[in-house]
């Protein structure tokens, strides 16, 4: 089977700082990839390169077999994206925003409108379809963003912290939707800091630290390799972090205005 | 669904856009959404604030341009020398267009949200950039009509249809050239700098550009030699060929008057070719533009903070803790908030260049007099813009802190922030301008400088009193947003004039300067207390 995404020797630096260092990846149809790493590890940069938002990188990125550097943007028709920054045009209503996005993907207005309205209904926020996004709660806005990323029936989904602010019931629905989409052959690139969700949801976990891939495999493989019980612990171990208790004590001491704890 | 006339108008040129490799259908959709967004106001975060009136401030601010437009139309009555009359009109016109581009529309050119939302969809950067240019063009064209409309009407009446259409065409070409030229300049800056430094450079660049536009405009009006009133001559030397207003005035000489002098033909050709070349370069480089824009979001590098100094000053000039806190807060915001700086810094450029330009020119002409000193009052223009924009911010959503924090008095928010802009923006600029004035006028003007400095503070308070009171950095910048309405603007300008006139009158009495200074200081104390006491009382 041919990979849907192939990344070879991908490096990117901003000035002196190297954000990505020789990344190699093959991603296949129907995979849910948990893409994790500490803040500033290079997760968003990888995704932004694949979306064509960041140029001037070294190496090769192929999506659906096509080198994205060649300037052809057709591949974006089959991609959905929920950005971490949750940027939307807040002065628009969901109807206006979602149909606009749908039209940019090349859909007809009516088709996009019908689909968006139906999805809003299924996500339980139909009553605000004609309200401005600026009046939405965080969870509602996040749902609208997820709808905007799914409206074009994409083959690859890039989700960056997609569940933030969404209530527990809806989280269950969305997780199930993602699993079902993967079964239909969609590829999902899932970045999050919530390890429990990543652990449960992903078929394959890629851990990136300081611009390099430090772990790649399914959760069982990672557990045997690192001899740790949970993804959270694996994450701590691989990113070289083991002093959380000490730091926590120091934080509480600082809040209460007391003396520093010995040992830091 | 709302249909915009502007879009129907653009439909005429569909074929032309497609020839440039632009996806017109997508372009149209982006533009429609942009115009729709502009027609709405962002609701404020602060829920208990009064709803603002729905009138579009942009339309109201066109009134000022229309006023200038009527003034400009007078030049249409100069007969026989189209090169002279049209280049004068165009140089003033370009001055207004370029300055409003730099100050009001830079935020559209340098917008980052579009990239994240639109470029992740199958839309190429060429189409997005064309949409940005046409979005700006929509507003620039309205300003154009306000500025040149009166002159165009006069031309239609006096010189007929050919003249009128040529006028319209050249105006559109100037608009396009100005927008594309400004964007290309930004691109150049974006290419050569990166990171945190870039954010500062952009603002300095704006100041420099504003100064350059003003200087260019001054130069333009000085290239004519007046032999007598009826005989105005222009000797075309090579450097004058670089003055865009001359290019656009030349076609009138060529087509209306039939002057086929080779210089005129050459200038006319430039009027057509330069905008076209600029547009082609812009289209070709638009993808580079988008990837360079990304740099504005990168956050590497830390700026060294001068926090200790800020804290020291706040302890000296502010009384209570809240006032100090807001002094420091405002100081940091006006120095670091990108959108705020984008809007405000160009006007700082004006405040430096206007007074200096006037006295330096007179200094070299040996026509310097006591009167020339009062040019320094032009520096107080910055008060209007800065105090007016103080309520706006790209991070307006952060304003929820006003609601949730136990702030005892709103008056101390205003006190702290007004002091902050006065100390951090007005004072350094004033010192700079003063040093040049001291060099030119010698030390006799020390008292006068003290008077002007106090007057700037007085104006700061008065501007604050006149305008609507919104909390600092609590409103969203919008394309059509103008900080101060027409009448507020006039009121402040008149006050400014009165203060300057009183200053010049104080020369007539013995110790007049000192008495005037004392009076201003007294007024400041009274107004300051009155404004903020009143505010405190209203809060209960």
């Amino acid at each position: 089977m041919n990979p849907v995404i192939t990344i070879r020797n991908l490096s990117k630096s901003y000035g002196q700082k190297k954000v990505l260092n020789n990344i190699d990846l093959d991603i296949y149809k129907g995979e849910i990839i948990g893409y994790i790493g500490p803040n500033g590890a290079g997760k968003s940069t990888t995704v932004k390169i694949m979306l064509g938002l960041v140029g001037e990188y070294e190496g090769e990125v192929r999506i659906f077999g096509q080198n994205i550097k060649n300037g052809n943007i057709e591949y974006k028709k089959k991609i959905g994206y929920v950005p971490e920054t949750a940027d939307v045009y807040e002065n628009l209503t969901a109807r206006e925003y979602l149909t606009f996005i749908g039209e940019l993907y090349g859909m007809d207005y009516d088709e996009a409108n019908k689909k968006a309205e139906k999805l809003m209904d299924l996500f339980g926020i139909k009553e605000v379809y004609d309200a401005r996004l600026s009046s939405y709660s965080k969870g509602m806005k996040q749902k609208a963003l997820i709808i905007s990323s799914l409206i074009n029936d994409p083959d690859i989904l890039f989700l960056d912290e997609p569940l933030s602010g969404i209530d527990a019931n809806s989280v269950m629905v969305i997780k199930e939707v993602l699993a079902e989409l993967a079964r239909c052959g969609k590829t999902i690139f899932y970045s999050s800091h919530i390890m429990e969700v990543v652990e449960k949801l992903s078929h394959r976990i890629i851990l990136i630290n300081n611009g390099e891939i430090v772990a790649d495999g399914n959760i069982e493989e990672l557990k045997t390799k690192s001899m740790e019980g949970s993804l959270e612990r694996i994450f701590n171990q691989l990113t070289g972090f083991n002093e959380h208790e000490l730091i926590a004590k120091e934080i509480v001491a600082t809040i209460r205005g007391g003396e520093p704890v010995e040992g830091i | 669904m709302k249909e915009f006339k502007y879009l129907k108008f653009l439909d005429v040129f569909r074929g032309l856009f497609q020839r440039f490799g632009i996806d017109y259908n997508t372009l149209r959709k982006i533009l429609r959404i942009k115009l729709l967004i502009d027609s709405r106001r962002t609701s404020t975060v602060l829920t208990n604030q009064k709803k603002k009136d729905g009138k579009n401030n942009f339309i109201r601010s066109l009134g000022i341009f229309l006023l200038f437009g009527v003034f400009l139309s007078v030049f249409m009555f100069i007969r026989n020398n189209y090169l002279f009359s049209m280049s004068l009109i165009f140089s003033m016109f370009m001055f207004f267009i370029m300055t409003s581009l730099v100050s009001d529309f830079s935020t559209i050119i340098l917008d980052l949200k579009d990239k994240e939302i639109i470029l992740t969809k199958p839309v190429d950067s060429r189409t997005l950039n064309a949409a940005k240019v046409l979005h700006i063009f929509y507003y620039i064209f309205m300003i154009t009509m306000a500025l040149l409309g009166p002159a165009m009407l006069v031309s239609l009446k006096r010189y007929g249809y050919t003249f009128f259409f040529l006028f319209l065409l050249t105006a559109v070409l100037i608009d396009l050239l100005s927008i594309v030229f400004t964007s290309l300049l930004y691109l150049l800056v974006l290419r050569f700098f990166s990171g945190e430094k870039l954010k500062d450079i952009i603002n300095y660049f704006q100041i420099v550009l504003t100064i350059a536009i003003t200087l260019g405009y001054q130069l333009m009006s000085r290239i004519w030699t007046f032999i007598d009133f009826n005989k105005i001559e222009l000797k075309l030397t090579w450097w004058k060929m670089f003055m865009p207003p001359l290019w656009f005035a030349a076609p009138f000489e060529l087509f209306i008057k039939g002057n086929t002098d080779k210089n005129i033909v050459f200038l006319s050709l430039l009027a057509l070719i330069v905008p076209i070349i600029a547009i082609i370069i812009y289209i070709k480089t638009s993808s580079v533009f988008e990837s360079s824009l990304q740099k504005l979001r990168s956050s590497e590098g830390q700026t060294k903070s001068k926090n200790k100094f800020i804290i020291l000053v706040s302890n000296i000039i502010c009384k209570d803790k809240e006032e100090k806190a807001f002094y420091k807060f405002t100081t940091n915001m006006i120095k670091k908030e990108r959108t705020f700086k984008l809007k405000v810094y160009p006007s700082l450029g004006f405040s430096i260049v206007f007074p200096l330009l006037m006295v330096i020119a007179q200094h070299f002409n040996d026509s310097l007099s006591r009167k020339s000193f009062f040019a320094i009052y032009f520096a107080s223009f910055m008060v209007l813009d800065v105090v007016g924009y103080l309520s706006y911010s790209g991070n307006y959503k952060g304003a929820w802190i006003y609601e949730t924090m136990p702030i005892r008095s709103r008056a101390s928010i205003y006190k702290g922030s007004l002091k902050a802009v006065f100390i951090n923006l007005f004072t350094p600029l004033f010192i700079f301008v003063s040093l040049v004035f001291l060099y030119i006028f010698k030390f006799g003007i020390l008292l006068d400088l003290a008077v002007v400095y106090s007057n700037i503070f007085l104006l700061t308070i008065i501007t604050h009193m006149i305008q609507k009171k919104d909390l600092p950095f609590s409103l969203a910048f919008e394309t059509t947003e103008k900080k101060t309405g027409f009448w507020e603007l006039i009121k402040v300008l008149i006050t400014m004039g009165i203060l300057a006139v009183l200053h010049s009158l104080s020369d007539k009495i013995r110790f007049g300067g000192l008495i005037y200074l004392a009076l201003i200081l007294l007024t400041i104390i009274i107004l300051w207390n009155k404004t903020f006491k009143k505010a405190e009382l209203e809060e209960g």
Side-chain angles (χ1 to χ4, degrees):
Chain A
M1 192 164 66
N2 284 332
V4 263
I5 302 176
T6 327
I7 296 178
R8 287 286 171 272
N9 303 320
L10 179 65
S11 297
K12 168 78 194 173
S13 13
Y14 287 112
Q16 297 293 318
K17 203 175 144 207
K18 204 146 198 177
V19 228
L20 290 178
N21 194 6
N22 265 322
I23 303 269
D24 280 310
L25 266 184
D26 283 303
I27 288 156
Y28 297 91
K29 230 177 132 181
E31 277 189 322
I32 300 184
I33 312 278
Y35 196 51
I36 56 175
N39 295 325
K43 293 186 306 285
S44 301
T45 309
T46 326
V47 171
K48 281 185 176 164
I49 287 175
M50 287 192 271
L51 285 159
L53 288 177
V54 172
E56 295 172 359
Y57 55 84
E58 288 157 51
E60 193 183 72
V61 179
R62 286 182 172 275
I63 294 179
F64 307 125
Q66 181 208 130
N67 188 342
I68 59 165
K69 233 180 195 167
N70 71 3
N72 192 338
I73 45 154
E74 280 299 294
Y75 78 94
K76 292 185 190 171
K77 277 200 173 145
K78 283 288 157 196
I79 282 183
Y81 176 45
V82 173
E84 185 197 14
T85 46
D87 276 340
V88 287
Y89 296 126
E90 301 214 325
N91 284 0
L92 299 177
T93 66
R95 185 194 299 275
E96 287 158 350
Y97 182 73
L98 294 173
T99 51
F100 172 61
I101 296 296
E103 285 183 304
L104 288 184
Y105 276 124
M107 301 167 75
D108 286 334
Y109 178 86
D110 290 330
E111 185 196 355
N113 185 28
K114 226 168 111 185
K115 211 164 172 181
E117 193 164 11
K118 178 90 183 167
L119 287 172
M120 290 283 284
D121 188 14
L122 290 170
F123 275 115
I125 48 171
K126 192 189 177 198
E127 72 285 356
V128 288
Y129 192 44
D130 284 307
R132 291 194 200 175
L133 294 169
S134 55
S135 68
Y136 280 32
S137 72
K138 197 174 175 197
M140 283 152 85
K141 201 183 287 170
Q142 200 65 28
K143 283 179 184 174
L145 264 168
I146 291 177
I147 293 172
S148 83
S149 76
L150 292 170
I151 197 161
N152 60 329
D153 187 21
D155 289 336
I156 305 176
L157 254 178
F158 292 104
L159 306 176
D160 200 339
E161 214 63 79
L163 300 179
S164 75
I166 295 181
D167 65 89
N169 295 336
S170 307
V171 164
M172 278 175 68
V173 174
I174 292 168
K175 280 201 251 177
E176 196 46 48
V177 168
L178 294 181
E180 185 59 36
L181 284 173
R183 278 193 284 277
C184 301
K186 314 276 188 197
T187 305
I188 295 162
F189 217 85
Y190 190 98
S191 302
S192 173
H193 293 297
I194 304 165
M195 292 300 128
E196 289 84 357
V197 181
V198 177
E199 186 173 344
K200 280 206 191 105
L201 198 67
S202 314
H203 303 141
R204 178 178 163 196
I205 289 161
I206 297 169
L207 202 162
I208 181 170
N209 193 24
N210 292 326
E212 290 179 32
I213 294 176
V214 289
D216 181 356
N218 64 35
I219 185 73
E220 272 67 41
E221 287 167 3
L222 294 192
K223 277 180 183 167
T224 15
K225 226 167 122 187
S226 65
M227 319 260 277
E228 291 285 359
S230 72
L231 184 57
E232 196 172 36
R233 299 292 303 167
I234 297 171
F235 187 93
N236 295 155
Q237 192 198 41
L238 290 174
T239 53
F241 185 81
N242 49 25
E243 46 198 18
H244 64 277
E245 282 177 4
L246 210 55
I247 293 180
K249 280 206 177 109
E250 176 74 18
I251 290 172
V252 174
T254 311
I255 295 168
R256 312 206 51 184
E259 290 299 305
V261 183
E262 291 292 308
I264 289 186
Chain B
M1 190 152 290
K2 198 174 169 189
E3 217 12 298
F4 293 91
K5 283 193 197 94
Y6 178 55
L7 295 176
K8 286 208 177 112
F9 168 74
L10 287 178
D11 286 342
V12 179
F13 303 99
R14 176 188 289 266
L16 189 71
F17 289 121
Q18 279 160 348
R19 193 161 302 164
F20 275 119
I22 289 159
D23 177 356
Y24 183 74
N25 288 331
T26 308
L27 172 108
R28 201 177 190 284
K29 278 166 200 151
I30 298 174
L31 260 180
R32 205 186 65 80
I33 284 292
K34 289 281 165 192
L35 295 175
L36 191 65
I37 292 172
D38 291 345
S39 68
R40 290 182 185 162
R41 281 160 182 283
T42 317
S43 54
T44 49
V45 195
L46 306 174
T47 40
N48 64 351
Q49 270 185 349
K50 275 171 272 159
K51 276 231 171 100
K52 294 219 253 152
D53 51 351
K55 265 188 211 158
N56 192 331
N57 274 333
F58 177 77
I59 303 291
R60 264 188 284 170
S61 75
L62 281 180
I64 298 168
F65 288 117
L66 195 65
L67 215 66
F68 280 112
V70 172
F71 168 70
L72 275 182
S73 67
V74 173
F75 289 104
M76 290 312 300
F77 293 96
I78 302 172
R79 269 219 179 263
N80 295 327
N81 198 332
Y82 294 129
L83 200 58
F84 174 70
S85 59
M86 294 315 286
S87 71
L88 268 189
I89 288 181
F90 283 148
S91 62
M92 272 178 239
F93 169 60
M94 284 185 88
F95 173 78
F96 282 119
I97 293 292
M98 288 291 287
T99 48
S100 43
L101 267 173
V102 176
S103 55
D104 295 339
F105 298 102
S106 292
T107 37
I108 299 186
I109 301 176
L110 299 171
D111 185 277
L112 289 164
K113 215 178 193 178
D114 287 344
K115 207 176 137 105
E116 199 93 0
I117 297 175
I118 293 175
L119 281 190
T120 51
K121 312 296 173 300
V123 177
D124 59 4
S125 42
R126 184 175 292 189
T127 305
L128 174 60
N129 277 299
K132 276 187 187 176
V133 167
L134 290 171
H135 183 201
I136 300 173
F137 180 75
Y138 176 69
Y139 293 104
I140 290 294
F141 190 70
M142 281 203 257
I143 298 177
T144 303
M145 282 301 119
L147 277 171
L148 294 185
M152 282 181 185
L153 286 179
V154 173
S155 80
L156 185 64
K157 201 121 177 65
R158 274 178 78 94
Y159 308 112
Y161 281 104
T162 331
F163 193 104
F164 174 77
F165 282 115
L166 193 60
F167 202 170
L168 196 64
L169 179 72
T170 43
V172 168
L173 280 176
I174 291 174
D175 285 348
L176 288 176
L177 179 66
S178 307
I179 300 170
V180 171
F181 179 70
T182 316
S183 311
L184 284 174
L185 281 179
Y186 276 120
L187 173 66
L188 216 62
V189 178
L190 287 170
R191 284 300 286 171
F192 286 114
F193 299 95
S194 64
E196 285 299 314
K197 211 202 262 160
L198 177 66
K199 295 170 194 169
D200 293 327
I201 298 271
I202 291 240
N203 296 121
Y204 294 131
F205 167 74
Q206 283 185 301
I207 296 181
V208 171
L209 191 59
T210 316
I211 294 176
I213 294 163
T214 317
L215 286 177
Y217 165 65
Q218 290 290 322
L219 195 64
M220 188 57 219
S221 53
R222 277 158 217 264
I223 63 172
W224 299 92
T225 3
F226 292 88
I227 298 168
D228 60 60
F229 192 72
N230 291 320
K231 244 188 162 174
I232 311 152
E233 254 187 70
L234 172 77
K235 288 217 171 60
L236 275 171
T237 43
W238 64 271
W239 63 270
K240 287 176 189 163
M241 294 287 184
F242 287 100
M243 309 297 277
L246 280 182
W247 311 340
F248 294 100
F252 293 90
E253 209 46 39
L254 178 66
F255 292 114
I256 308 294
K257 211 166 151 192
N259 181 349
T260 50
D261 180 280
K262 69 174 193 302
N263 282 326
I264 297 294
V265 176
F266 179 67
L267 287 172
S268 307
L269 277 175
L270 283 180
L272 188 67
I273 291 169
V274 175
I276 291 176
I277 290 179
I279 291 168
I280 290 174
I281 295 176
Y282 182 73
I283 290 173
K284 296 261 180 215
T285 52
S286 57
S287 61
V288 187
F289 198 105
E290 288 304 325
S291 59
S292 306
L293 260 187
Q294 189 70 27
K295 289 182 187 171
L296 280 174
R297 197 162 252 179
S298 69
S299 57
E300 95 271 18
Q302 291 179 325
T303 37
K304 264 183 230 149
S305 87
K306 298 171 205 140
N307 260 332
K308 281 202 180 117
F309 180 71
I310 297 172
I311 293 169
L312 181 76
V313 176
S314 76
N315 283 335
I316 298 171
I317 61 166
C318 301
K319 262 189 285 176
D320 60 80
K321 258 188 179 169
E322 274 178 8
E323 199 184 315
K324 278 178 201 167
F326 279 100
Y327 173 86
K328 283 176 275 192
F329 171 66
T330 309
T331 307
N332 288 325
M333 287 295 275
I334 57 180
K335 286 191 172 162
K336 293 184 184 121
E337 214 273 292
R338 198 171 71 88
T339 337
F340 178 80
K341 283 162 76 181
L342 275 180
K343 289 267 186 183
V344 164
Y345 275 45
S347 71
L348 301 183
F350 274 128
S351 302
I352 302 174
V353 77
F354 263 121
L356 295 190
L357 200 74
M358 288 172 153
V359 287
I360 290 172
Q362 290 179 346
H363 184 56
F364 285 114
N365 290 346
D366 279 332
S367 57
L368 213 58
S369 67
R370 170 71 188 150
K371 262 189 198 157
S372 323
F373 172 80
F374 293 98
I376 201 169
Y377 274 93
F378 282 103
S380 51
F381 273 131
M382 63 187 164
V383 174
L384 235 145
D385 256 12
V386 175
V387 177
Y389 271 135
L390 200 57
S391 320
Y392 293 87
S393 165
N395 297 326
Y396 66 98
K397 282 188 179 160
W400 60 269
I401 55 163
Y402 295 120
E403 297 291 286
T404 54
M405 296 294 140
I407 297 168
R408 266 182 293 123
S409 141
R410 293 223 157 166
S412 54
I413 299 178
Y414 293 121
K415 277 190 208 166
S417 56
L418 287 179
K419 282 178 182 171
V421 289
F422 184 71
I423 297 290
N424 294 295
L425 289 177
F426 304 158
T427 305
L429 262 173
F430 179 75
I431 290 175
F432 176 74
V433 174
S434 302
L435 287 177
V436 183
F437 269 64
L438 274 176
Y439 174 76
I440 292 174
F441 290 95
K442 311 297 176 241
F443 282 93
I445 58 161
L446 270 176
L447 177 65
D448 293 297
L449 288 177
V451 170
V452 178
Y453 189 56
S454 319
N455 267 334
I456 290 179
F457 192 63
L458 182 58
L459 264 176
T460 310
I461 305 171
I462 291 173
T463 313
H464 172 75
M465 286 167 67
I466 287 175
Q467 72 185 9
K468 259 176 283 163
K469 312 255 174 319
D470 289 307
L471 288 165
F473 313 111
S474 66
L475 303 174
F477 277 114
E478 277 157 88
T479 316
T480 53
E481 195 68 61
K482 279 278 170 187
K483 60 289 167 186
T484 354
F486 182 71
W487 292 115
E488 283 92 349
L489 193 83
I490 299 288
K491 276 186 219 162
V492 178
L493 285 177
I494 289 174
T495 319
M496 203 185 283
I498 292 173
L499 290 176
V501 169
L502 285 177
H503 187 175
S504 75
L505 288 179
S506 73
D507 279 353
K508 305 230 167 28
I509 333 167
R510 224 165 144 225
F511 300 121
L514 276 176
I515 296 167
Y516 187 42
L517 181 63
L519 282 175
I520 295 162
L521 292 178
L522 194 69
T523 321
I524 288 175
I525 294 167
I526 293 170
L527 283 183
W528 183 264
N529 286 329
K530 198 185 132 206
T531 316
F532 296 118
K533 280 274 153 55
K534 208 172 105 198
E536 270 160 28
L537 281 178
E538 275 168 15
E539 286 164 37

